[in-house]
Amino acid sequence: MSSQNTDPAAAASTAALKGSEAGGSADRGSVTKRLQQELMTLMMSGDKGISAFPESDNLFKWIGTVDGAVETVYEGLRYKLSLEFPSGYPYKAPRVKFVTPCFHPNVDEQGFICLDILKDKWSAQYDVRSILLSIQSLLGEPNNDSPLNVAAAELWDNQEEGRYRAASQAGTQKKGFSII
């Protein structure tokens, strides 16, 4: 059963129970509590185009989705992400990567993301919601000065070709382009 077909509150309770059984330490318990709060905040936020839930019953591994922002080459595309939270969260950044292939200047072929808030600019004030919103923003506003994907960076000024490549890699059909 997919996480989209489960009751999010029940999923959070089950995941918290499993998380606390597995760790037992005070640190793991505080991370579990933080992640439960973030799940509820995200569910109540009403933000369009982003979502995330624990993967099965593991509160330390989530599956997220980010919709491409309106009026970008990613408009109409939905990307699946994996989020893995370390035991030192929120003082250590989670490991976030695209599961759905994403042709983007700041995403490499393995799905890893070059985003400052996931690296050297990480702060315990960030949460899952802010991470997903930042990734959604990054889709439309890449940092071409430090690309992970040079081919995508070189095509950024050619929006039509970029739109085609983004749709091709995401495995969908987009705005009249047929995908081979």
Side-chain angles (χ1 to χ4, degrees), residues 142-168:
N143 178 358
N144 273 342
D145 293 334
S146 80
L148 282 179
N149 182 333
V150 175
E154 289 172 353
L155 278 177
W156 187 252
D157 290 333
N158 183 347
Q159 294 289 293
E160 286 304 309
E161 177 64 18
R163 183 182 314 275
Y164 172 75
R165 293 286 296 269
S168 295

mmCIF file with all atom_site columns, all heavy atoms in Angstrom, residues 142-168:
data_model
loop_
_atom_site.group_PDB
_atom_site.id
_atom_site.type_symbol
_atom_site.label_atom_id
_atom_site.label_alt_id
_atom_site.label_comp_id
_atom_site.label_asym_id
_atom_site.label_entity_id
_atom_site.label_seq_id
_atom_site.pdbx_PDB_ins_code
_atom_site.Cartn_x
_atom_site.Cartn_y
_atom_site.Cartn_z
_atom_site.occupancy
_atom_site.B_iso_or_equiv
_atom_site.pdbx_formal_charge
_atom_site.auth_seq_id
_atom_site.auth_comp_id
_atom_site.auth_asym_id
_atom_site.auth_atom_id
_atom_site.pdbx_PDB_model_num
ATOM 1   N N   . PRO A 1 142 ? 17.994 28.088 -11.396 1.00 0.00 ? 142 PRO A N   1
ATOM 2   C CA  . PRO A 1 142 ? 19.222 27.354 -11.084 1.00 0.00 ? 142 PRO A CA  1
ATOM 3   C C   . PRO A 1 142 ? 20.398 28.279 -10.828 1.00 0.00 ? 142 PRO A C   1
ATOM 4   O O   . PRO A 1 142 ? 20.378 29.434 -11.216 1.00 0.00 ? 142 PRO A O   1
ATOM 5   C CB  . PRO A 1 142 ? 19.458 26.537 -12.347 1.00 0.00 ? 142 PRO A CB  1
ATOM 6   C CG  . PRO A 1 142 ? 18.848 27.348 -13.426 1.00 0.00 ? 142 PRO A CG  1
ATOM 7   C CD  . PRO A 1 142 ? 17.632 27.997 -12.801 1.00 0.00 ? 142 PRO A CD  1
ATOM 8   N N   . ASN A 1 143 ? 21.395 27.732 -10.171 1.00 0.00 ? 143 ASN A N   1
ATOM 9   C CA  . ASN A 1 143 ? 22.660 28.429 -10.000 1.00 0.00 ? 143 ASN A CA  1
ATOM 10  C C   . ASN A 1 143 ? 23.596 27.912 -11.084 1.00 0.00 ? 143 ASN A C   1
ATOM 11  O O   . ASN A 1 143 ? 24.264 26.901 -10.911 1.00 0.00 ? 143 ASN A O   1
ATOM 12  C CB  . ASN A 1 143 ? 23.230 28.160 -8.604  1.00 0.00 ? 143 ASN A CB  1
ATOM 13  C CG  . ASN A 1 143 ? 24.568 28.832 -8.394  1.00 0.00 ? 143 ASN A CG  1
ATOM 14  O OD1 . ASN A 1 143 ? 25.110 29.480 -9.291  1.00 0.00 ? 143 ASN A OD1 1
ATOM 15  N ND2 . ASN A 1 143 ? 25.118 28.666 -7.209  1.00 0.00 ? 143 ASN A ND2 1
ATOM 16  N N   . ASN A 1 144 ? 23.639 28.597 -12.212 1.00 0.00 ? 144 ASN A N   1
ATOM 17  C CA  . ASN A 1 144 ? 24.470 28.169 -13.335 1.00 0.00 ? 144 ASN A CA  1
ATOM 18  C C   . ASN A 1 144 ? 25.950 28.438 -13.105 1.00 0.00 ? 144 ASN A C   1
ATOM 19  O O   . ASN A 1 144 ? 26.783 28.005 -13.891 1.00 0.00 ? 144 ASN A O   1
ATOM 20  C CB  . ASN A 1 144 ? 24.011 28.836 -14.640 1.00 0.00 ? 144 ASN A CB  1
ATOM 21  C CG  . ASN A 1 144 ? 22.908 28.047 -15.311 1.00 0.00 ? 144 ASN A CG  1
ATOM 22  O OD1 . ASN A 1 144 ? 22.695 26.871 -15.020 1.00 0.00 ? 144 ASN A OD1 1
ATOM 23  N ND2 . ASN A 1 144 ? 22.202 28.691 -16.208 1.00 0.00 ? 144 ASN A ND2 1
ATOM 24  N N   . ASP A 1 145 ? 26.287 29.148 -12.024 1.00 0.00 ? 145 ASP A N   1
ATOM 25  C CA  . ASP A 1 145 ? 27.689 29.416 -11.733 1.00 0.00 ? 145 ASP A CA  1
ATOM 26  C C   . ASP A 1 145 ? 28.411 28.189 -11.180 1.00 0.00 ? 145 ASP A C   1
ATOM 27  O O   . ASP A 1 145 ? 29.632 28.097 -11.255 1.00 0.00 ? 145 ASP A O   1
ATOM 28  C CB  . ASP A 1 145 ? 27.824 30.575 -10.740 1.00 0.00 ? 145 ASP A CB  1
ATOM 29  C CG  . ASP A 1 145 ? 27.371 31.893 -11.344 1.00 0.00 ? 145 ASP A CG  1
ATOM 30  O OD1 . ASP A 1 145 ? 27.426 32.027 -12.592 1.00 0.00 ? 145 ASP A OD1 1
ATOM 31  O OD2 . ASP A 1 145 ? 26.943 32.772 -10.581 1.00 0.00 ? 145 ASP A OD2 1
ATOM 32  N N   . SER A 1 146 ? 27.658 27.250 -10.598 1.00 0.00 ? 146 SER A N   1
ATOM 33  C CA  . SER A 1 146 ? 28.288 26.024 -10.098 1.00 0.00 ? 146 SER A CA  1
ATOM 34  C C   . SER A 1 146 ? 27.409 24.824 -10.456 1.00 0.00 ? 146 SER A C   1
ATOM 35  O O   . SER A 1 146 ? 26.795 24.205 -9.594  1.00 0.00 ? 146 SER A O   1
ATOM 36  C CB  . SER A 1 146 ? 28.530 26.107 -8.588  1.00 0.00 ? 146 SER A CB  1
ATOM 37  O OG  . SER A 1 146 ? 27.378 25.831 -7.859  1.00 0.00 ? 146 SER A OG  1
ATOM 38  N N   . PRO A 1 147 ? 27.357 24.494 -11.746 1.00 0.00 ? 147 PRO A N   1
ATOM 39  C CA  . PRO A 1 147 ? 26.491 23.396 -12.170 1.00 0.00 ? 147 PRO A CA  1
ATOM 40  C C   . PRO A 1 147 ? 27.058 22.015 -11.849 1.00 0.00 ? 147 PRO A C   1
ATOM 41  O O   . PRO A 1 147 ? 28.269 21.805 -11.911 1.00 0.00 ? 147 PRO A O   1
ATOM 42  C CB  . PRO A 1 147 ? 26.384 23.597 -13.679 1.00 0.00 ? 147 PRO A CB  1
ATOM 43  C CG  . PRO A 1 147 ? 27.672 24.236 -14.058 1.00 0.00 ? 147 PRO A CG  1
ATOM 44  C CD  . PRO A 1 147 ? 28.029 25.114 -12.885 1.00 0.00 ? 147 PRO A CD  1
ATOM 45  N N   . LEU A 1 148 ? 26.177 21.105 -11.485 1.00 0.00 ? 148 LEU A N   1
ATOM 46  C CA  . LEU A 1 148 ? 26.541 19.691 -11.387 1.00 0.00 ? 148 LEU A CA  1
ATOM 47  C C   . LEU A 1 148 ? 26.355 19.023 -12.746 1.00 0.00 ? 148 LEU A C   1
ATOM 48  O O   . LEU A 1 148 ? 27.004 18.045 -13.053 1.00 0.00 ? 148 LEU A O   1
ATOM 49  C CB  . LEU A 1 148 ? 25.637 18.965 -10.376 1.00 0.00 ? 148 LEU A CB  1
ATOM 50  C CG  . LEU A 1 148 ? 25.934 19.143 -8.907  1.00 0.00 ? 148 LEU A CG  1
ATOM 51  C CD1 . LEU A 1 148 ? 24.929 18.390 -8.066  1.00 0.00 ? 148 LEU A CD1 1
ATOM 52  C CD2 . LEU A 1 148 ? 27.342 18.680 -8.577  1.00 0.00 ? 148 LEU A CD2 1
ATOM 53  N N   . ASN A 1 149 ? 25.424 19.560 -13.527 1.00 0.00 ? 149 ASN A N   1
ATOM 54  C CA  . ASN A 1 149 ? 25.116 19.033 -14.847 1.00 0.00 ? 149 ASN A CA  1
ATOM 55  C C   . ASN A 1 149 ? 25.436 20.144 -15.862 1.00 0.00 ? 149 ASN A C   1
ATOM 56  O O   . ASN A 1 149 ? 24.629 21.039 -16.091 1.00 0.00 ? 149 ASN A O   1
ATOM 57  C CB  . ASN A 1 149 ? 23.647 18.622 -14.915 1.00 0.00 ? 149 ASN A CB  1
ATOM 58  C CG  . ASN A 1 149 ? 23.259 18.011 -16.239 1.00 0.00 ? 149 ASN A CG  1
ATOM 59  O OD1 . ASN A 1 149 ? 23.848 18.288 -17.276 1.00 0.00 ? 149 ASN A OD1 1
ATOM 60  N ND2 . ASN A 1 149 ? 22.240 17.167 -16.206 1.00 0.00 ? 149 ASN A ND2 1
ATOM 61  N N   . VAL A 1 150 ? 26.623 20.068 -16.442 1.00 0.00 ? 150 VAL A N   1
ATOM 62  C CA  . VAL A 1 150 ? 27.094 21.110 -17.358 1.00 0.00 ? 150 VAL A CA  1
ATOM 63  C C   . VAL A 1 150 ? 26.211 21.186 -18.603 1.00 0.00 ? 150 VAL A C   1
ATOM 64  O O   . VAL A 1 150 ? 25.907 22.275 -19.084 1.00 0.00 ? 150 VAL A O   1
ATOM 65  C CB  . VAL A 1 150 ? 28.583 20.874 -17.729 1.00 0.00 ? 150 VAL A CB  1
ATOM 66  C CG1 . VAL A 1 150 ? 29.053 21.881 -18.769 1.00 0.00 ? 150 VAL A CG1 1
ATOM 67  C CG2 . VAL A 1 150 ? 29.448 20.956 -16.480 1.00 0.00 ? 150 VAL A CG2 1
ATOM 68  N N   . ALA A 1 151 ? 25.773 20.039 -19.121 1.00 0.00 ? 151 ALA A N   1
ATOM 69  C CA  . ALA A 1 151 ? 24.921 20.033 -20.321 1.00 0.00 ? 151 ALA A CA  1
ATOM 70  C C   . ALA A 1 151 ? 23.623 20.791 -20.057 1.00 0.00 ? 151 ALA A C   1
ATOM 71  O O   . ALA A 1 151 ? 23.169 21.572 -20.896 1.00 0.00 ? 151 ALA A O   1
ATOM 72  C CB  . ALA A 1 151 ? 24.626 18.598 -20.754 1.00 0.00 ? 151 ALA A CB  1
ATOM 73  N N   . ALA A 1 152 ? 23.020 20.582 -18.893 1.00 0.00 ? 152 ALA A N   1
ATOM 74  C CA  . ALA A 1 152 ? 21.781 21.293 -18.551 1.00 0.00 ? 152 ALA A CA  1
ATOM 75  C C   . ALA A 1 152 ? 22.049 22.785 -18.390 1.00 0.00 ? 152 ALA A C   1
ATOM 76  O O   . ALA A 1 152 ? 21.241 23.614 -18.808 1.00 0.00 ? 152 ALA A O   1
ATOM 77  C CB  . ALA A 1 152 ? 21.169 20.720 -17.277 1.00 0.00 ? 152 ALA A CB  1
ATOM 78  N N   . ALA A 1 153 ? 23.172 23.128 -17.798 1.00 0.00 ? 153 ALA A N   1
ATOM 79  C CA  . ALA A 1 153 ? 23.515 24.547 -17.616 1.00 0.00 ? 153 ALA A CA  1
ATOM 80  C C   . ALA A 1 153 ? 23.708 25.241 -18.968 1.00 0.00 ? 153 ALA A C   1
ATOM 81  O O   . ALA A 1 153 ? 23.260 26.373 -19.151 1.00 0.00 ? 153 ALA A O   1
ATOM 82  C CB  . ALA A 1 153 ? 24.776 24.681 -16.765 1.00 0.00 ? 153 ALA A CB  1
ATOM 83  N N   . GLU A 1 154 ? 24.356 24.546 -19.897 1.00 0.00 ? 154 GLU A N   1
ATOM 84  C CA  . GLU A 1 154 ? 24.588 25.131 -21.221 1.00 0.00 ? 154 GLU A CA  1
ATOM 85  C C   . GLU A 1 154 ? 23.276 25.328 -21.979 1.00 0.00 ? 154 GLU A C   1
ATOM 86  O O   . GLU A 1 154 ? 23.162 26.236 -22.790 1.00 0.00 ? 154 GLU A O   1
ATOM 87  C CB  . GLU A 1 154 ? 25.547 24.252 -22.020 1.00 0.00 ? 154 GLU A CB  1
ATOM 88  C CG  . GLU A 1 154 ? 26.972 24.316 -21.500 1.00 0.00 ? 154 GLU A CG  1
ATOM 89  C CD  . GLU A 1 154 ? 27.903 23.305 -22.151 1.00 0.00 ? 154 GLU A CD  1
ATOM 90  O OE1 . GLU A 1 154 ? 27.434 22.435 -22.928 1.00 0.00 ? 154 GLU A OE1 1
ATOM 91  O OE2 . GLU A 1 154 ? 29.118 23.370 -21.862 1.00 0.00 ? 154 GLU A OE2 1
ATOM 92  N N   . LEU A 1 155 ? 22.284 24.479 -21.719 1.00 0.00 ? 155 LEU A N   1
ATOM 93  C CA  . LEU A 1 155 ? 20.992 24.587 -22.400 1.00 0.00 ? 155 LEU A CA  1
ATOM 94  C C   . LEU A 1 155 ? 20.020 25.533 -21.702 1.00 0.00 ? 155 LEU A C   1
ATOM 95  O O   . LEU A 1 155 ? 18.938 25.769 -22.219 1.00 0.00 ? 155 LEU A O   1
ATOM 96  C CB  . LEU A 1 155 ? 20.330 23.210 -22.498 1.00 0.00 ? 155 LEU A CB  1
ATOM 97  C CG  . LEU A 1 155 ? 20.775 22.313 -23.619 1.00 0.00 ? 155 LEU A CG  1
ATOM 98  C CD1 . LEU A 1 155 ? 20.083 20.960 -23.522 1.00 0.00 ? 155 LEU A CD1 1
ATOM 99  C CD2 . LEU A 1 155 ? 20.488 22.950 -24.963 1.00 0.00 ? 155 LEU A CD2 1
ATOM 100 N N   . TRP A 1 156 ? 20.388 26.044 -20.537 1.00 0.00 ? 156 TRP A N   1
ATOM 101 C CA  . TRP A 1 156 ? 19.426 26.821 -19.763 1.00 0.00 ? 156 TRP A CA  1
ATOM 102 C C   . TRP A 1 156 ? 18.848 27.999 -20.547 1.00 0.00 ? 156 TRP A C   1
ATOM 103 O O   . TRP A 1 156 ? 17.673 28.327 -20.412 1.00 0.00 ? 156 TRP A O   1
ATOM 104 C CB  . TRP A 1 156 ? 20.021 27.306 -18.440 1.00 0.00 ? 156 TRP A CB  1
ATOM 105 C CG  . TRP A 1 156 ? 18.968 27.938 -17.594 1.00 0.00 ? 156 TRP A CG  1
ATOM 106 C CD1 . TRP A 1 156 ? 18.812 29.253 -17.323 1.00 0.00 ? 156 TRP A CD1 1
ATOM 107 C CD2 . TRP A 1 156 ? 17.877 27.270 -16.963 1.00 0.00 ? 156 TRP A CD2 1
ATOM 108 N NE1 . TRP A 1 156 ? 17.702 29.454 -16.557 1.00 0.00 ? 156 TRP A NE1 1
ATOM 109 C CE2 . TRP A 1 156 ? 17.098 28.245 -16.311 1.00 0.00 ? 156 TRP A CE2 1
ATOM 110 C CE3 . TRP A 1 156 ? 17.468 25.944 -16.873 1.00 0.00 ? 156 TRP A CE3 1
ATOM 111 C CZ2 . TRP A 1 156 ? 15.956 27.953 -15.582 1.00 0.00 ? 156 TRP A CZ2 1
ATOM 112 C CZ3 . TRP A 1 156 ? 16.323 25.639 -16.141 1.00 0.00 ? 156 TRP A CZ3 1
ATOM 113 C CH2 . TRP A 1 156 ? 15.584 26.643 -15.520 1.00 0.00 ? 156 TRP A CH2 1
ATOM 114 N N   . ASP A 1 157 ? 19.645 28.615 -21.368 1.00 0.00 ? 157 ASP A N   1
ATOM 115 C CA  . ASP A 1 157 ? 19.153 29.748 -22.154 1.00 0.00 ? 157 ASP A CA  1
ATOM 116 C C   . ASP A 1 157 ? 18.251 29.320 -23.310 1.00 0.00 ? 157 ASP A C   1
ATOM 117 O O   . ASP A 1 157 ? 17.525 30.129 -23.865 1.00 0.00 ? 157 ASP A O   1
ATOM 118 C CB  . ASP A 1 157 ? 20.316 30.579 -22.691 1.00 0.00 ? 157 ASP A CB  1
ATOM 119 C CG  . ASP A 1 157 ? 21.024 31.327 -21.568 1.00 0.00 ? 157 ASP A CG  1
ATOM 120 O OD1 . ASP A 1 157 ? 20.359 31.624 -20.544 1.00 0.00 ? 157 ASP A OD1 1
ATOM 121 O OD2 . ASP A 1 157 ? 22.225 31.596 -21.700 1.00 0.00 ? 157 ASP A OD2 1
ATOM 122 N N   . ASN A 1 158 ? 18.284 28.042 -23.683 1.00 0.00 ? 158 ASN A N   1
ATOM 123 C CA  . ASN A 1 158 ? 17.409 27.501 -24.724 1.00 0.00 ? 158 ASN A CA  1
ATOM 124 C C   . ASN A 1 158 ? 16.251 26.782 -24.028 1.00 0.00 ? 158 ASN A C   1
ATOM 125 O O   . ASN A 1 158 ? 16.275 25.569 -23.852 1.00 0.00 ? 158 ASN A O   1
ATOM 126 C CB  . ASN A 1 158 ? 18.184 26.550 -25.643 1.00 0.00 ? 158 ASN A CB  1
ATOM 127 C CG  . ASN A 1 158 ? 17.341 26.005 -26.781 1.00 0.00 ? 158 ASN A CG  1
ATOM 128 O OD1 . ASN A 1 158 ? 16.107 26.121 -26.781 1.00 0.00 ? 158 ASN A OD1 1
ATOM 129 N ND2 . ASN A 1 158 ? 18.002 25.388 -27.739 1.00 0.00 ? 158 ASN A ND2 1
ATOM 130 N N   . GLN A 1 159 ? 15.246 27.546 -23.616 1.00 0.00 ? 159 GLN A N   1
ATOM 131 C CA  . GLN A 1 159 ? 14.157 27.010 -22.805 1.00 0.00 ? 159 GLN A CA  1
ATOM 132 C C   . GLN A 1 159 ? 13.369 25.898 -23.492 1.00 0.00 ? 159 GLN A C   1
ATOM 133 O O   . GLN A 1 159 ? 12.958 24.954 -22.835 1.00 0.00 ? 159 GLN A O   1
ATOM 134 C CB  . GLN A 1 159 ? 13.211 28.136 -22.379 1.00 0.00 ? 159 GLN A CB  1
ATOM 135 C CG  . GLN A 1 159 ? 13.857 29.133 -21.438 1.00 0.00 ? 159 GLN A CG  1
ATOM 136 C CD  . GLN A 1 159 ? 14.103 28.559 -20.064 1.00 0.00 ? 159 GLN A CD  1
ATOM 137 O OE1 . GLN A 1 159 ? 13.169 28.270 -19.339 1.00 0.00 ? 159 GLN A OE1 1
ATOM 138 N NE2 . GLN A 1 159 ? 15.360 28.370 -19.705 1.00 0.00 ? 159 GLN A NE2 1
ATOM 139 N N   . GLU A 1 160 ? 13.169 25.989 -24.801 1.00 0.00 ? 160 GLU A N   1
ATOM 140 C CA  . GLU A 1 160 ? 12.406 24.934 -25.491 1.00 0.00 ? 160 GLU A CA  1
ATOM 141 C C   . GLU A 1 160 ? 13.153 23.603 -25.448 1.00 0.00 ? 160 GLU A C   1
ATOM 142 O O   . GLU A 1 160 ? 12.557 22.569 -25.174 1.00 0.00 ? 160 GLU A O   1
ATOM 143 C CB  . GLU A 1 160 ? 12.082 25.341 -26.938 1.00 0.00 ? 160 GLU A CB  1
ATOM 144 C CG  . GLU A 1 160 ? 10.996 26.386 -27.028 1.00 0.00 ? 160 GLU A CG  1
ATOM 145 C CD  . GLU A 1 160 ? 9.691  25.976 -26.349 1.00 0.00 ? 160 GLU A CD  1
ATOM 146 O OE1 . GLU A 1 160 ? 9.178  24.871 -26.618 1.00 0.00 ? 160 GLU A OE1 1
ATOM 147 O OE2 . GLU A 1 160 ? 9.187  26.766 -25.522 1.00 0.00 ? 160 GLU A OE2 1
ATOM 148 N N   . GLU A 1 161 ? 14.446 23.621 -25.728 1.00 0.00 ? 161 GLU A N   1
ATOM 149 C CA  . GLU A 1 161 ? 15.228 22.386 -25.659 1.00 0.00 ? 161 GLU A CA  1
ATOM 150 C C   . GLU A 1 161 ? 15.296 21.898 -24.215 1.00 0.00 ? 161 GLU A C   1
ATOM 151 O O   . GLU A 1 161 ? 15.194 20.711 -23.948 1.00 0.00 ? 161 GLU A O   1
ATOM 152 C CB  . GLU A 1 161 ? 16.642 22.594 -26.223 1.00 0.00 ? 161 GLU A CB  1
ATOM 153 C CG  . GLU A 1 161 ? 17.532 21.372 -26.124 1.00 0.00 ? 161 GLU A CG  1
ATOM 154 C CD  . GLU A 1 161 ? 17.065 20.157 -26.932 1.00 0.00 ? 161 GLU A CD  1
ATOM 155 O OE1 . GLU A 1 161 ? 16.234 20.313 -27.847 1.00 0.00 ? 161 GLU A OE1 1
ATOM 156 O OE2 . GLU A 1 161 ? 17.536 19.052 -26.631 1.00 0.00 ? 161 GLU A OE2 1
ATOM 157 N N   . GLY A 1 162 ? 15.443 22.816 -23.281 1.00 0.00 ? 162 GLY A N   1
ATOM 158 C CA  . GLY A 1 162 ? 15.460 22.445 -21.864 1.00 0.00 ? 162 GLY A CA  1
ATOM 159 C C   . GLY A 1 162 ? 14.154 21.803 -21.437 1.00 0.00 ? 162 GLY A C   1
ATOM 160 O O   . GLY A 1 162 ? 14.140 20.813 -20.696 1.00 0.00 ? 162 GLY A O   1
ATOM 161 N N   . ARG A 1 163 ? 13.039 22.331 -21.916 1.00 0.00 ? 163 ARG A N   1
ATOM 162 C CA  . ARG A 1 163 ? 11.719 21.774 -21.604 1.00 0.00 ? 163 ARG A CA  1
ATOM 163 C C   . ARG A 1 163 ? 11.622 20.341 -22.125 1.00 0.00 ? 163 ARG A C   1
ATOM 164 O O   . ARG A 1 163 ? 11.164 19.438 -21.448 1.00 0.00 ? 163 ARG A O   1
ATOM 165 C CB  . ARG A 1 163 ? 10.624 22.647 -22.220 1.00 0.00 ? 163 ARG A CB  1
ATOM 166 C CG  . ARG A 1 163 ? 9.218  22.225 -21.904 1.00 0.00 ? 163 ARG A CG  1
ATOM 167 C CD  . ARG A 1 163 ? 8.176  23.115 -22.585 1.00 0.00 ? 163 ARG A CD  1
ATOM 168 N NE  . ARG A 1 163 ? 8.429  24.539 -22.478 1.00 0.00 ? 163 ARG A NE  1
ATOM 169 C CZ  . ARG A 1 163 ? 8.071  25.306 -21.444 1.00 0.00 ? 163 ARG A CZ  1
ATOM 170 N NH1 . ARG A 1 163 ? 7.455  24.782 -20.428 1.00 0.00 ? 163 ARG A NH1 1
ATOM 171 N NH2 . ARG A 1 163 ? 8.340  26.597 -21.450 1.00 0.00 ? 163 ARG A NH2 1
ATOM 172 N N   . TYR A 1 164 ? 12.095 20.134 -23.353 1.00 0.00 ? 164 TYR A N   1
ATOM 173 C CA  . TYR A 1 164 ? 12.062 18.805 -23.946 1.00 0.00 ? 164 TYR A CA  1
ATOM 174 C C   . TYR A 1 164 ? 12.917 17.833 -23.141 1.00 0.00 ? 164 TYR A C   1
ATOM 175 O O   . TYR A 1 164 ? 12.484 16.728 -22.815 1.00 0.00 ? 164 TYR A O   1
ATOM 176 C CB  . TYR A 1 164 ? 12.544 18.858 -25.398 1.00 0.00 ? 164 TYR A CB  1
ATOM 177 C CG  . TYR A 1 164 ? 12.706 17.491 -26.008 1.00 0.00 ? 164 TYR A CG  1
ATOM 178 C CD1 . TYR A 1 164 ? 11.588 16.749 -26.384 1.00 0.00 ? 164 TYR A CD1 1
ATOM 179 C CD2 . TYR A 1 164 ? 13.965 16.924 -26.174 1.00 0.00 ? 164 TYR A CD2 1
ATOM 180 C CE1 . TYR A 1 164 ? 11.731 15.478 -26.919 1.00 0.00 ? 164 TYR A CE1 1
ATOM 181 C CE2 . TYR A 1 164 ? 14.112 15.663 -26.705 1.00 0.00 ? 164 TYR A CE2 1
ATOM 182 C CZ  . TYR A 1 164 ? 12.991 14.941 -27.071 1.00 0.00 ? 164 TYR A CZ  1
ATOM 183 O OH  . TYR A 1 164 ? 13.138 13.681 -27.592 1.00 0.00 ? 164 TYR A OH  1
ATOM 184 N N   . ARG A 1 165 ? 14.134 18.239 -22.796 1.00 0.00 ? 165 ARG A N   1
ATOM 185 C CA  . ARG A 1 165 ? 15.041 17.349 -22.060 1.00 0.00 ? 165 ARG A CA  1
ATOM 186 C C   . ARG A 1 165 ? 14.494 17.050 -20.667 1.00 0.00 ? 165 ARG A C   1
ATOM 187 O O   . ARG A 1 165 ? 14.585 15.927 -20.194 1.00 0.00 ? 165 ARG A O   1
ATOM 188 C CB  . ARG A 1 165 ? 16.435 17.977 -21.950 1.00 0.00 ? 165 ARG A CB  1
ATOM 189 C CG  . ARG A 1 165 ? 17.177 18.118 -23.255 1.00 0.00 ? 165 ARG A CG  1
ATOM 190 C CD  . ARG A 1 165 ? 17.716 16.810 -23.817 1.00 0.00 ? 165 ARG A CD  1
ATOM 191 N NE  . ARG A 1 165 ? 18.719 16.178 -23.003 1.00 0.00 ? 165 ARG A NE  1
ATOM 192 C CZ  . ARG A 1 165 ? 20.027 16.388 -23.117 1.00 0.00 ? 165 ARG A CZ  1
ATOM 193 N NH1 . ARG A 1 165 ? 20.498 17.202 -24.026 1.00 0.00 ? 165 ARG A NH1 1
ATOM 194 N NH2 . ARG A 1 165 ? 20.860 15.754 -22.322 1.00 0.00 ? 165 ARG A NH2 1
ATOM 195 N N   . ALA A 1 166 ? 13.921 18.051 -20.003 1.00 0.00 ? 166 ALA A N   1
ATOM 196 C CA  . ALA A 1 166 ? 13.349 17.839 -18.669 1.00 0.00 ? 166 ALA A CA  1
ATOM 197 C C   . ALA A 1 166 ? 12.207 16.831 -18.741 1.00 0.00 ? 166 ALA A C   1
ATOM 198 O O   . ALA A 1 166 ? 12.122 15.908 -17.934 1.00 0.00 ? 166 ALA A O   1
ATOM 199 C CB  . ALA A 1 166 ? 12.851 19.159 -18.083 1.00 0.00 ? 166 ALA A CB  1
ATOM 200 N N   . ALA A 1 167 ? 11.331 17.001 -19.718 1.00 0.00 ? 167 ALA A N   1
ATOM 201 C CA  . ALA A 1 167 ? 10.195 16.082 -19.870 1.00 0.00 ? 167 ALA A CA  1
ATOM 202 C C   . ALA A 1 167 ? 10.678 14.689 -20.254 1.00 0.00 ? 167 ALA A C   1
ATOM 203 O O   . ALA A 1 167 ? 10.162 13.688 -19.755 1.00 0.00 ? 167 ALA A O   1
ATOM 204 C CB  . ALA A 1 167 ? 9.224  16.625 -20.913 1.00 0.00 ? 167 ALA A CB  1
ATOM 205 N N   . SER A 1 168 ? 11.674 14.610 -21.120 1.00 0.00 ? 168 SER A N   1
ATOM 206 C CA  . SER A 1 168 ? 12.199 13.314 -21.539 1.00 0.00 ? 168 SER A CA  1
ATOM 207 C C   . SER A 1 168 ? 12.761 12.549 -20.349 1.00 0.00 ? 168 SER A C   1
ATOM 208 O O   . SER A 1 168 ? 12.483 11.365 -20.175 1.00 0.00 ? 168 SER A O   1
ATOM 209 C CB  . SER A 1 168 ? 13.312 13.490 -22.578 1.00 0.00 ? 168 SER A CB  1
ATOM 210 O OG  . SER A 1 168 ? 12.815 14.041 -23.754 1.00 0.00 ? 168 SER A OG  1
#
